[in-house]
Amino acid sequence: MEELQDFNEEKEESNFDLKAEIYKYLAYWKWILFGFLIGGLLAFLYNRYTIPKYRTESTILIVNDQEKNAMSALPSGGGAILSLENDGLQNHIEKLKSKQLVESVVDELDLNVSYFIEGNVIKVEAYKSSPILIEFITKDSIVNFSNANIFVTPVSDTSFRLEVSDSDYSEIYEIGQIIELNDIKFTILPRSGGEEGNFKRTSTVNIKLTPLREVANNFIQSLFISPKGQAKDILSLSIVNPSSQKSEDFLNKLMERFNEEGVKDKQEVAENTTAFIQERLEMITTELDSVEVGIADFKRENRLMSVESGASEFQSKFSAAEQEIFNLQTQLELLNSIEDLLRQQGKYDFLPEVGISDGGVSGLISSYNSIVMERNMYLNGGTEKNPVVETLTEQLDSLRDNLFDNISSTRQSLNVKLRKLDQRENIAEGKFSNFPGLEKGMRNIERQQQIKEQLYLFLLQRREEAAISFAATASVARVIDSAFTIDKPVDPAPWLILIGGFIIGLIIPILIIFIKNLLDTKVHHKGDLGPLLKSLPFIGEVPRIAQDQSDIIQLNDRSPLAESFRILRTNLAYLIQNKDKSAGDVIFVTSTVKGEGKTFISYNLSRTLSSTNKTVLLIGADIRNPKLHRYTSNTLGAKEKGLSDYLYDYEVTASDVISKTNDDNISVDVILSGPIPPNPAELLMNDRMETLIEQAKTQYDYVIVDTAPAMIVTDTLLISQLADYTLYVTRADFTEKNLLDFPKDLKKQGKLKGLAVILNDVDYSKFSYGAQYGYSYGYGYGYGVDKESRWKRLKRRLFS
């Protein structure tokens, strides 16, 4: 039995009870189980009706231009003509994901047209397996920018119904009939190879026409490219899509188009170089013919056949100087040719690489060609307004200016060298003054002939190299693994989603219960009275009354309500066991606010005490809002006067207001509140109330006073010192927790005597942890109670 002595100190201890917190949630176990099952069901349905997505992968090897190019077998190595700066692996990745390249793949495979078979729940894409095909008559340039969503439903072997999404359009057409819709002309045809009569049994086919650029953007976003291998020259391509066959076709075609574009770029350089060399050859041929005609005329006019014998000594001494002059003049000629080409051709065309190393001209030409190729690649997918194209154009303009400057400076350098060699030759001429003047003229003509011949042979060799390069251009990349699809789907992950569904279904109701408890400010059970019970004794709790049960206890009543009041009576006896028995006990019943059941407690407590052969007087002292008459209206005698009459009229005696009741052989004397007076506080302050209490104490064993709520009005506090004990009523699911400090303050201030707490209207069906908070009344009390079968008990717990 819980000790009921008066508490003077609050004990500092934690109020947290883990078991109680757990049982708060277990009270809603049906909802938690329901959420758990619903979460699992939704996850199962998601797995069942979600189209799985598969990962498709392929691998390519980027070929090294310098090591793997067929031009490396040529005498010059081929690098001087067609060598381009290595784009780098990242550049190749950007090319693979470029809009121009992906759009060409989508256009070639017709991936902007999708077919879906309508099912009972979901629709599945029928890639290359649709029983119905659409053939466009309109030009691709218009179709590729169109958007349409149509439904084709066969109605016979030769006709079908055509419907358009988000519109009322619905018409019947014949197979092969030309249809015009949104400026697009097309026909609907059955797939060839099908059985006869199978067309009308075909399900509805949804045909979606999406703009080409939108489809390409979707593929670019889902395309994942990463380097692979130690040398970082292998690229792994992967894409996730519900249709594995579509993904494989896309990746294979993407790699094929990537190779074709790379070869095309290289061949374009070779073509431009060949055209330039051919033009120069024609010019050099004309010049060489002119020089040879000049030699013949010179010999004919001077009647000379050979000058070698006369110039042998001169050649032996100055052959080295002449060779240098020859080399310098050759380079000057090539510089003039390059400069003429720069001035004549377009600003952003490829330049030939002629192998001039002086002044960095060769390096500038190589860089110029590389940037021209990169600019052309971006122009294929955009315009000259593209920021990248504008940047590359600025670089080309800068390189072009640098080329002119380098050619000019190189020409000046070569001219300086030539002047020095001419000075050396003039000195030699002074020493060989007797050498015929014809010798010098003949040598000048022969030197021109040799220069033209060397340049002619040089250009012939370059032309052959360019032709071979065009015919044998190496691939940019080599396919290591063609596209293949992994059998295991990437999305959804069935077990993960199923487990996640169960967990989420379990968490959501728990979270809702947590929020509900967090926002709950009401008292529900004895555990919520913890802060109050540290300073005040607790003498009992009263269960909630069902709608089909009576709220008044009867004689020999074995209901949970009657048992709770018997326990309350027992605990009250422990509370007052040391009191002098020469006078009756005065027990006030009050609460914080109205509606907490103090009148209900007062009336049934008085009947419970009376059933033990005790004399009991029940006084309705709540004269502002009387409720006691609701319980006694059918059992009172003819007396109509009440407490307010007694307090106001000194001629009215106690016997005039006391009514005898004997409901179900339980005798309780009652003083009703009487008419509601205009000044209840002043009436309670006069000595008539004290006189009535003192007189009743001598005639009754218990005087129970149903008072007004202590927090709302001052009536109870005005007469509180007349009480021996005060029962403070709280109500489950009604009393606010923040109001529990009010009776503690009254206790500390000494305004209420013998204060003890009662919890009313407890719903035990919400708690399985009843022993922690009080006594559970769900099992029946007393002997002779019919046992409830296990099946009925289970049904009651599940469906109550």
Side-chain angles (χ1 to χ4, degrees), residues 273-426:
T273 302
T274 302
F276 166 75
I277 293 175
Q278 184 63 34
E279 180 183 348
R280 300 304 299 170
L281 278 173
E282 293 175 358
M283 185 177 63
I284 295 298
T285 301
T286 303
E287 293 176 354
L288 187 58
D289 290 342
S290 177
V291 172
E292 290 176 348
V293 170
I295 292 175
D297 292 341
F298 183 83
K299 289 182 178 181
R300 187 182 302 110
E301 291 174 359
N302 294 282
R303 297 180 180 180
L304 293 175
M305 295 301 294
S306 174
V307 293
E308 285 82 358
S309 58
S312 59
E313 184 179 355
F314 181 78
Q315 290 178 346
S316 63
K317 292 182 178 181
F318 299 103
S319 60
E322 290 178 346
Q323 183 63 38
E324 289 183 10
I325 291 173
F326 164 74
N327 291 336
L328 291 175
Q329 289 180 343
T330 301
Q331 293 187 35
L332 282 172
E333 189 70 20
L334 289 174
L335 284 174
N336 293 334
S337 300
I338 292 297
E339 188 174 26
D340 292 339
L341 178 63
L342 276 172
R343 298 186 187 280
Q344 294 171 7
Q345 72 173 8
K347 281 190 175 183
Y348 310 115
D349 292 333
F350 290 98
L351 295 176
E353 177 57 58
V354 292
I356 299 176
S357 59
D358 290 346
V361 175
S362 180
L364 288 175
I365 291 175
S366 178
S367 299
Y368 186 91
N369 287 338
S370 176
I371 296 176
V372 168
M373 179 182 294
E374 187 175 359
R375 181 176 180 273
N376 291 340
M377 180 190 71
Y378 281 105
L379 281 175
N380 290 334
T383 64
E384 291 185 354
K385 298 299 183 178
N386 190 321
V388 177
V389 175
E390 292 179 349
T391 301
L392 295 175
T393 302
E394 293 176 359
Q395 294 179 7
L396 288 174
D397 293 338
S398 177
L399 280 176
R400 186 182 181 90
D401 295 336
N402 289 339
L403 272 173
F404 281 114
D405 295 338
N406 281 25
I407 290 172
S408 177
S409 62
T410 304
R411 184 188 294 111
Q412 292 176 2
S413 177
L414 295 176
N415 287 330
V416 170
K417 293 180 180 179
L418 283 174
R419 285 194 294 270
K420 291 182 179 179
L421 292 174
D422 288 339
Q423 291 175 1
R424 290 168 56 187
E425 191 174 46
N426 292 333

Side-chain angles (χ1 to χ4, degrees), residues 542-682:
V542 178
R544 179 165 297 176
I545 303 171
Q547 294 182 352
D548 57 346
Q549 295 178 344
S550 173
D551 59 349
I552 300 175
I553 64 173
Q554 307 297 330
L555 188 65
N556 298 323
D557 195 341
R558 293 182 294 177
S559 67
L561 178 64
E563 290 296 335
S564 68
F565 274 98
R566 292 188 184 103
I567 294 174
L568 180 61
R569 179 186 62 193
T570 303
N571 291 338
L572 182 62
Y574 276 91
L575 183 66
I576 63 179
Q577 60 182 343
N578 296 325
K579 185 180 179 299
D580 183 12
K581 298 300 181 181
S582 59
D585 298 313
V586 180
I587 302 172
F588 279 19
V589 181
T590 188
S591 64
T592 306
V593 295
K594 68 176 183 177
E596 292 180 300
K598 56 181 182 55
T599 304
F600 164 75
I601 296 294
S602 302
Y603 184 71
N604 283 293
L605 178 61
S606 63
R607 290 177 62 82
T608 303
L609 293 173
S610 178
S611 64
T612 58
N613 295 324
K614 299 291 185 178
T615 56
V616 180
L617 175 63
L618 175 59
I619 302 176
D622 186 2
I623 57 179
R624 294 176 185 265
N625 186 26
K627 300 291 184 181
L628 187 59
H629 61 279
R630 294 183 179 180
Y631 296 95
T632 60
S633 59
N634 296 329
T635 60
L636 293 178
K639 294 182 179 180
E640 296 179 355
K641 293 182 179 181
L643 179 63
S644 59
D645 297 299
Y646 175 80
L647 297 177
Y648 173 75
D649 189 354
Y650 281 79
E651 295 182 358
V652 177
T653 63
S655 59
D656 295 333
V657 295
I658 295 177
S659 302
K660 303 289 185 179
T661 66
N662 191 21
D663 183 17
D664 193 30
N665 296 323
I666 298 179
S667 176
V668 177
D669 291 350
V670 178
I671 298 179
L672 296 180
S673 301
I676 300 176
N679 55 344
E682 287 73 8

Side-chain angles (χ1 to χ4, degrees), residues 709-725:
M711 189 175 185
I712 297 179
V713 294
T714 188
D715 298 3
T716 301
L717 299 180
L718 293 175
I719 59 174
S720 62
Q721 299 305 315
L722 301 178
D724 296 321
Y725 306 96

